[in-house]
Amino acid sequence: MKRITLLTMALLNFISPINSEATTPEHEVIATNKDENITIFAKKTDGFYEDFQIDYKGIVFHRPSWKNVTNPTYAPQIVYEDINSDIKKELIIILTTGYGTGVLEEVVAVFHQNKDQSLKEVLVDNPLAIVNKNVKSSLNSEKAEISIGKNHYEVNVARFSSYPERLFDEIFFGSIIQYEVIDKNLTVTLYPLVAPGVFTGSIIITYQYRDNMYQAKSIEFQPE
């Protein structure tokens, strides 16, 4: 069933309409990469940008379900880089869907070039699903424990003297999700949270392109 679902999503992304329609007057420019001739347009609605149109080198395609906050500090990021070693550059767009004190929620979209220079969106595995599958954790009043494969880490949480009554029942991994392209690799960093505003370090996932999607190549924990 999982393979059928992934295949269906891949086909839907492949046949998504890509055309050269002009943007409407309601759309405004919210991000651009002038060197690569890539521009993102969207409509502002209730604190979010929605109904995205991406002008990729003169070809405009639509993503009506995308969202990004309107704060210019968190404008969409456009990255144009070869992240799968196929000698062709991929289009990576990073969106921010939420932010606040101790909170940063980002999502990523990756597009591959077809032979006719059109684009195909490729699935990127959800980082929280990767963590749930590969990371074991526990938490008590003295320490936080995180295990990734054969690697085991312990973080002394007793040193954070101001939070004991606010300690969570378990480590929370979804407060900050931050994507980057580092050394031609797509990465995502999550910050394990043990109490409001108290992080134990960071988990860095590096992706690789395998079986028609981007999956975890490595998972690393860096203690605080």
Side-chain angles (χ1 to χ4, degrees):
M1 180 62 70
K2 182 178 180 181
R3 290 183 178 179
I4 293 174
T5 301
L6 291 176
L7 178 59
T8 302
M9 293 179 68
L11 288 173
L12 287 172
N13 285 330
F14 182 79
I15 62 176
S16 294
I18 296 176
N19 54 57
S20 57
E21 295 178 1
T23 59
T24 65
E26 294 82 6
H27 287 78
E28 59 183 274
V29 175
I30 60 172
T32 185
N33 183 328
K34 293 182 179 179
D35 291 338
E36 300 294 347
N37 192 21
I38 302 168
T39 303
I40 298 176
F41 303 84
K43 293 180 181 178
K44 184 184 292 187
T45 307
D46 298 328
F48 284 91
Y49 286 116
E50 300 177 336
D51 191 21
F52 278 63
Q53 297 184 357
I54 300 91
D55 185 333
Y56 171 75
K57 301 180 183 295
I59 300 174
V60 178
F61 63 97
H62 302 246
R63 286 296 182 269
S65 64
W66 283 10
K67 288 188 176 184
N68 198 96
V69 298
T70 55
N71 187 330
T73 301
Y74 301 98
Q77 302 171 55
I78 301 172
V79 182
Y80 196 55
E81 186 66 80
D82 180 9
I83 60 170
N84 64 4
S85 302
D86 66 350
I87 312 179
K88 295 184 293 185
K89 291 184 178 181
E90 283 69 54
L91 173 61
I92 303 101
I93 297 176
I94 300 169
L95 305 174
T96 300
T97 57
Y99 68 94
T101 302
V103 175
L104 180 64
E105 299 172 354
E106 292 185 346
V107 296
V108 68
V110 177
F111 298 86
H112 286 186
Q113 294 186 52
N114 295 314
K115 291 182 178 179
D116 62 358
Q117 301 302 310
S118 63
L119 297 177
K120 175 181 69 174
E121 188 169 1
V122 181
L123 184 65
V124 179
D125 205 358
N126 187 301
L128 292 177
I130 294 172
V131 167
N132 288 337
K133 182 178 179 180
N134 297 279
V135 178
K136 296 181 179 179
S137 64
S138 63
L139 178 64
N140 59 45
S141 59
E142 297 296 325
K143 62 184 179 180
E145 296 184 79
I146 292 178
S147 297
I148 305 173
K150 297 180 179 180
N151 298 316
H152 183 74
Y153 308 89
E154 293 186 3
V155 178
N156 177 16
V157 297
R159 59 195 172 101
F160 302 113
S161 58
S162 62
Y163 77 88
E165 70 282 357
R166 300 182 294 148
L167 188 70
F168 296 150
D169 293 330
E170 59 185 22
I171 300 174
F172 180 60
F173 292 93
S175 180
I176 295 179
I177 300 175
Q178 186 173 22
Y179 288 92
E180 294 179 276
V181 173
I182 302 174
D183 296 329
K184 296 186 177 182
N185 290 296
L186 177 64
T187 70
V188 62
T189 303
L190 299 87
Y191 293 83
L193 190 68
V194 297
V198 181
F199 299 94
T200 61
S202 58
I203 288 181
I204 302 171
I205 299 170
T206 300
Y207 286 94
Q208 69 174 356
Y209 184 63
R210 186 176 73 249
D211 297 332
N212 298 314
M213 64 180 292
Y214 284 88
Q215 305 181 44
K217 175 183 178 180
S218 65
I219 308 172
E220 176 187 358
F221 176 66
Q222 295 181 350
E224 181 73 14

